[in-house]
Every structure is written in C-alpha cells, then in structure tokens.
Amino acid sequence: MQELRVRAASLWLKADLRKRPLTSCQQFLWAFRVKETPNFSNKLQIEEEDFGTRQEIDSKNNGWQKLNLTDTVRSWLAEGETDRLRILIDCSCSCPSVHLHLSDAGAERRANPNRPFLVIYTDPNISKRVRRRALDCSPDSGNQCCKQRFYVSFKELGWDDWVIAPQGYYANYCRGDCGNHRTPDTYVTYHTHVIEEMRKAQHLSGMQPCCAPLKFSSMSLIYFGPESNIIKRDLPKMVVDECGCP
C-alpha cells in the first residue's frame, strides 16, 4: 500500500546448452510483457516496444542469464493496476540444443532451484516519524547514544562472485555514551533502573551502561549455492534498527 520507486529490475533465467553446436550460431533470449486484450477474447497482447535487453547465449556464458526489465517493471507499477506482471520468454535460437528452465506448477515450482525469478531494487521511502529510542547519529547528536548508518559492500568483502543480490546493505552500528542524566521512563526494564541507581550511589565506575542495539531486522540474500543453484534465504538480525541504553 505504499509507493515503490524502482531503481533496477532484472529477470534471471537459466538456459543451458545440452551439447556444443558444431557450427557457429547466434542464440538470443527476449523478455516481452504480456497483457490481456480488453475484449476478453482470451487472446494475448504482446508489448513489443516494452521488452528487456536481449541476452546472447553461447558456450561461454550458458547457465544463468540476466535480462534487464527495469523499464517494464516501472511502467507496470505506474499503471496502478492489480493485474499480475506477465512475462513471455522468447528464445530466438538457431541451435536446437538450448534448454530453458521455466516454471513448473504448484509445489514443484517452489521446490525447483532453477526456476526463473525477478530481482527488484527499490529506493526506500524515508519515514518522517522519529521514535523515542530511534535516534540517528548526526553532527547535533554529540556523544549521546545513537544509531550510526553504515553500509557494507559485498564487493569490498570479495563476495560479489557468489552473492547475486543485494550488492550490499546498511548493517548500521551503535555508538556514543549513556549519560548520567536519565529519567525513569528511559529505562527498558526495572532491573536496569535499579542497577543504575546502585551504580550512582556506590560510585561503581566499572558498571557503566553501554550503547547497544535494541532492535534488529532481517534481510534477504540471493546467492549461488555449492552446485551453482540459486538460493534465497532470509537472515535474521542483520540490520540494527534502534540503539539505546538498556
């Protein structure tokens, strides 16, 4: 129910060469958007001007193919309709040895690691609502406990040869101090409040509270498995959303 700003969209499709062709031949994959005709005649209308970049297949790059569908997805979302996005895959292949891994039905499709899938990169909508402990670090935050935005690039880690998407993500971390001037409503638990009062009463400097993550969120990772199959997995507690003094 919120507006999505699409930065990029790619269709991943596996196309294998069952045997190496004896002669040189060009083989291309095309992705067309398909619409139903308004007269409900069960005919399909192919948007020929609205296709992804063609992808050539040869003996060097057979396997997973990546087609650019950014303009197609953008126009589909801009229409504001509830119709599903339907894609027709066309193989302009002069060699009969190309095998396309297309979708199966039902449970077989979900269990098939070679099924086609669409990866969409979106720009998030920044919420203007600030939560009590969701303080982001800024030049005005000083040394108080806050959440520091921190981007992790998989390319810099050397993981870009097996991670498909995303290219990186904001992991974030917590920095700053938990000051002595705290009101009772800022404590997460009564236990923390009691320990803090004991620390101040007995001047226990070794019991300083730490600025730590209070809330995490998960992220999705798409990557190549050990057998060149593509795996999508949701990894828990990968993003720090809130920091505070427990």
Side-chain angles (χ1 to χ4, degrees):
M1 300 302 295
Q2 62 180 352
E3 181 183 357
L4 292 178
R5 293 173 292 180
V6 176
R7 179 159 41 93
S10 301
L11 176 67
W12 287 76
L13 175 71
K14 193 170 186 181
D16 295 332
L17 292 177
R18 291 183 171 177
K19 60 180 179 179
R20 187 170 182 177
L22 299 178
T23 59
S24 177
C25 52
Q26 286 186 320
Q27 304 171 117
F28 295 98
L29 286 178
W30 300 85
F32 296 90
R33 183 182 174 189
V34 178
K35 290 184 176 180
E36 292 185 0
T37 54
N39 57 3
F40 303 100
S41 59
N42 294 327
K43 294 183 180 179
L44 298 180
Q45 174 187 355
I46 300 178
E47 300 291 326
E48 296 186 1
E49 75 281 357
D50 190 16
F51 55 82
T53 305
R54 69 177 185 177
Q55 175 67 38
E56 184 175 5
I57 309 173
D58 55 29
S59 57
K60 296 181 180 180
N61 73 337
N62 70 97
W64 286 100
Q65 310 296 323
K66 180 181 179 182
L67 292 91
N68 180 15
L69 292 186
T70 303
D71 293 337
T72 301
V73 174
R74 283 176 178 171
S75 62
W76 171 62
L77 290 175
E79 294 172 0
E81 300 178 357
T82 58
D83 294 339
R84 292 180 300 174
L85 177 62
R86 306 176 67 189
I87 302 297
L88 172 66
I89 304 298
D90 178 37
C91 181
S92 302
C93 303
S94 57
C95 299
S97 58
V98 176
H99 172 62
L100 298 180
H101 295 264
L102 301 179
S103 297
D104 300 319
E108 294 181 357
R109 177 177 59 185
R110 293 190 294 269
N112 181 11
N114 296 323
R115 65 187 184 277
F117 63 93
L118 187 66
V119 176
I120 301 178
Y121 294 95
T122 61
D123 292 327
N125 292 324
I126 304 299
S127 176
K128 296 182 180 180
R129 184 170 63 94
V130 179
R131 302 172 67 175
R132 180 169 58 89
R133 288 189 298 268
L135 178 64
D136 293 335
C137 296
S138 68
D140 298 331
S141 60
N143 199 35
Q144 69 180 115
C145 180
C146 59
K147 180 188 73 176
Q148 178 66 53
R149 284 172 60 85
F150 183 72
Y151 184 79
V152 175
S153 171
F154 292 139
K155 183 177 182 179
E156 294 183 6
L157 292 177
W159 293 3
D160 55 324
D161 58 342
W162 61 276
V163 174
I164 298 175
Q167 298 174 345
Y169 78 106
Y170 281 95
N172 307 330
Y173 64 91
C174 300
R175 70 173 179 86
D177 296 331
C178 295
N180 295 326
H181 304 288
R182 297 178 63 181
T183 57
D185 63 298
T186 62
Y187 295 101
V188 179
T189 64
Y190 292 113
H191 172 269
T192 306
H193 190 186
V194 172
I195 294 298
E196 178 64 10
E197 292 299 318
M198 286 294 298
R199 184 190 71 83
K200 291 188 296 183
Q202 299 185 15
H203 304 285
L204 301 175
S205 59
M207 295 176 60
Q208 289 288 344
C210 300
C211 179
L214 298 179
K215 183 179 179 181
F216 292 90
S217 61
S218 60
M219 67 162 293
S220 297
L221 193 69
I222 303 176
Y223 59 95
F224 288 107
E227 299 179 357
S228 296
N229 56 326
I230 291 183
I231 301 173
K232 186 263 186 183
R233 181 166 296 173
D234 296 326
L235 305 178
K237 295 186 177 181
M238 289 288 286
V239 180
V240 173
D241 291 330
E242 291 186 14
C243 297
C245 300

